[in-house]
Amino acid sequence: MGVDRTVDVRGGAVADNESQGSETVAVGLAPQAGSAADAPADTLADALAEVGSSPVTSDEGTGPARRRRRSSGRWAIVLAVLVLLFALPWWTLFSAGTDWPLPVVVVSAVVFAAALLAFPVLIVRGHGSRRLDRSSRIADTILGVVWVLFAWSVLSLLLRLALFLSGVGDPAGPRIVSVAVAVVAAGLLAWGHHEAMRLPRVLRLDVTLPRLGRGLDGTRVVVLADTHYGPIDRSGWSARVAEAVNELDADVVCHAGDIADGTLDQRRGQAAPLGTMRSRLAKVYVTGNHEYHGEAQGWLDHMAELGWESLHNRHLVVERGGDRLVLAGVDDVTAESSALTGHRANLVGALAGADPELPVLLVAHQPKYVGQAAGGGIDLQISGHTHGGQIWPFNFLVRLDQPVVHGLSRHGERTQLYTSRGTGFWGPPFRIFAPSEITLLTLRSA
């Protein structure tokens, strides 16, 4: 039986360590400059938080007047979307010919208006520079509820038309629509909250890599992504995830980014179980876009303290049965706009010194990086970011920004991409028709 090896180059220093029958030899590569594309905010809430805070950017050529105009324009768009999100559900439930008693209409209007006015303030207080968890919890819940109500209010227009064509008039028709939307939304939100808070299901998939040596056939790669430790304390959930990962007997564990929302001090306890996860060959981590809302370098350093290899535009080489596999990682594509020195997605730097004849598994947070991966001859890219849409039908909006929302896909002659729906959730504590997952990829040679 061959000796398992992990090789990593670190500034020319070489160290040998033996643990549980595995040999680890470390090497090193300093992060190098590269190119990255700036990405849009994930959600309306992200946009609000960005407008409400004052992030440091490298946009030195933009004058104060132009920045003010740009900010005003963004606020106008965001507020117009907000009004539509809140107004359509209210109209569907309490107006539109329902002829509910006047007190019901007035009270509902006050409630929806209060939520509309409070939401931007809560988002900025919770997800902006102040990072107040209570504000985040309230705002995130409002966002989830109003999104579900909005989506089903839009769909209810078809029911309204069908009832009209069937001769069901006012107020019976509109009341049927109102009650149907309320019941469906309430049921989906209750189920979606359960799905968000539960231990993720294990999704198992074989992935054939033609260049993978036979000695590495059967290599078990566990994928975590988008844990998003956040304002709801999920320390117990995090511990159960770690137990589930350890039961999978992984050779490699990957965390594809978006580890937490908030500062390291705020989320240290929730992230602690990551230090208990075990693997035979390597545990690797890359930054996601949410790390760049706060302390990206702090998370890279902390994951190293927890026993993970932070693939900050660098690579490792793992070996089993005489065959080797390159494990590479790049920073998120938004890293360049963070103004953090040395942070940017840099595939050339990540692969510097790697044998071009070896198969490469690349961890990159966003699926849209697969274009660069395919151009660089990567065999398999592992990504997260999309959450599978998290709350239907947001998956259709995600697809406008990403080439894939979930699953295994092929890009070019050699490159395959696996996109995880994510292990946790961001913001609204709901997952509707987009279940969370812990993924076990078994690599197969041709």
Side-chain angles (χ1 to χ4, degrees):
M1 184 174 179
V3 177
D4 295 341
R5 285 172 61 87
T6 304
V7 183
D8 171 24
V9 194
R10 260 182 238 240
V14 179
D16 291 311
N17 302 295
E18 294 189 15
S19 174
Q20 300 178 350
S22 299
E23 180 181 350
T24 304
V25 182
V27 199
L29 296 172
Q32 299 180 18
S35 63
D38 209 354
D42 288 339
T43 62
L44 172 66
D46 274 353
L48 277 167
E50 289 173 11
V51 172
S53 58
S54 300
V56 178
T57 69
S58 56
D59 192 10
E60 296 176 357
T62 303
R66 185 177 177 185
R67 283 198 298 268
R68 283 195 296 271
R69 287 195 300 272
R70 182 179 298 174
S71 180
S72 298
R74 291 185 67 183
W75 265 117
I77 294 171
V78 167
L79 290 177
V81 171
L82 273 178
V83 170
L84 181 61
L85 280 175
F86 282 81
L88 181 59
W90 178 82
W91 179 82
T92 301
L93 295 172
F94 300 103
S95 185
T98 54
D99 197 26
W100 297 120
L102 182 60
V104 172
V105 176
V106 171
V107 170
S108 66
V110 170
V111 170
F112 270 74
L116 171 60
L117 294 173
F119 178 72
V121 176
L122 291 167
I123 278 290
V124 171
R125 285 166 59 88
H127 291 281
S129 58
R130 298 182 68 181
R131 300 185 185 278
L132 301 178
D133 281 351
R134 185 179 180 187
S135 295
S136 292
R137 289 192 294 269
I138 298 171
D140 294 344
T141 301
I142 291 174
L143 178 60
V145 170
V146 78
W147 172 253
V148 171
L149 286 171
F150 175 81
W152 289 90
S153 294
V154 172
L155 288 175
S156 75
L157 296 174
L158 297 175
L159 175 59
R160 188 180 300 276
L161 177 61
L163 290 170
F164 174 77
L165 295 177
S166 301
V168 181
D170 296 349
R175 286 187 176 184
I176 290 172
V177 171
S178 174
V179 172
V181 169
V183 170
V184 170
L188 287 176
L189 288 166
W191 172 64
H193 181 69
H194 169 75
E195 284 292 306
M197 303 302 291
R198 63 166 290 163
L199 179 68
R201 300 169 181 84
V202 176
L203 192 156
R204 302 167 190 266
L205 184 68
D206 285 3
V207 180
T208 300
L209 302 181
R211 297 203 301 160
L212 189 72
R214 292 193 179 278
L216 286 163
D217 183 77
T219 297
R220 297 163 68 87
V221 179
V222 172
V223 179
L224 304 175
D226 304 288
T227 44
H228 284 286
Y229 303 124
I232 297 175
D233 188 350
R234 289 180 288 144
S235 298
W237 175 88
S238 181
R240 292 193 299 275
V241 168
E243 291 170 2
V245 168
N246 288 337
E247 289 175 1
L248 295 175
D249 194 26
D251 295 300
V252 176
V253 180
C254 301
H255 194 304
D258 276 7
I259 189 170
D261 295 297
T263 66
L264 177 56
D265 286 342
Q266 284 179 305
R267 311 302 177 220
R268 190 183 301 272
Q270 294 184 59
L274 292 171
T276 68
M277 293 182 183
R278 298 186 298 270
S279 67
R280 288 193 180 88
L281 296 175
K283 297 185 297 183
V284 298
Y285 160 72
V286 298
T287 54
N289 57 307
H290 279 247
E291 278 85 336
Y292 292 98
H293 295 180
E295 301 176 347
Q297 188 60 53
W299 281 110
L300 286 167
D301 295 341
H302 185 61
M303 288 295 276
E305 293 170 4
L306 292 176
W308 291 67
E309 292 286 350
S310 294
L311 297 184
H312 179 31
N313 295 324
R314 64 183 185 90
H315 72 271
L316 312 170
V317 177
V318 296
E319 179 177 345
R320 191 180 74 177
D323 289 307
R324 294 181 295 163
L325 170 68
V326 176
L327 300 178
V330 293
D331 297 340
D332 184 65
V333 295
T334 61
E336 187 173 18
S337 63
S338 70
L340 290 176
T341 302
H343 285 254
R344 60 185 65 202
N346 179 14
L347 184 58
V348 173
L351 295 178
D355 185 342
E357 299 302 315
L358 296 180
V360 180
L361 187 159
L362 173 70
V363 188
H365 180 63
Q366 298 198 38
K368 69 167 111 182
Y369 198 72
V370 75
Q372 290 89 324
I378 299 300
D379 297 84
L380 175 63
Q381 176 178 316
I382 290 175
S383 298
H385 184 68
T386 67
H387 299 208
Q390 186 165 321
I391 302 177
W392 185 91
F394 199 76
N395 51 300
F396 296 109
L397 297 180
V398 173
R399 186 62 181 80
L400 298 176
D401 183 53
Q402 300 291 335
V404 178
V405 175
H406 168 251
L408 187 65
S409 55
R410 182 171 292 278
H411 302 264
E413 199 170 306
R414 175 188 295 174
T415 303
Q416 296 181 75
L417 165 67
Y418 183 77
T419 304
S420 168
R421 283 186 297 239
T423 311
F425 62 87
W426 178 86
F430 308 103
R431 272 188 173 270
I432 297 175
F433 305 132
S436 57
E437 66 182 68
I438 297 169
T439 319
L440 175 59
L441 302 180
T442 302
L443 305 185
R444 298 296 183 187
S445 57

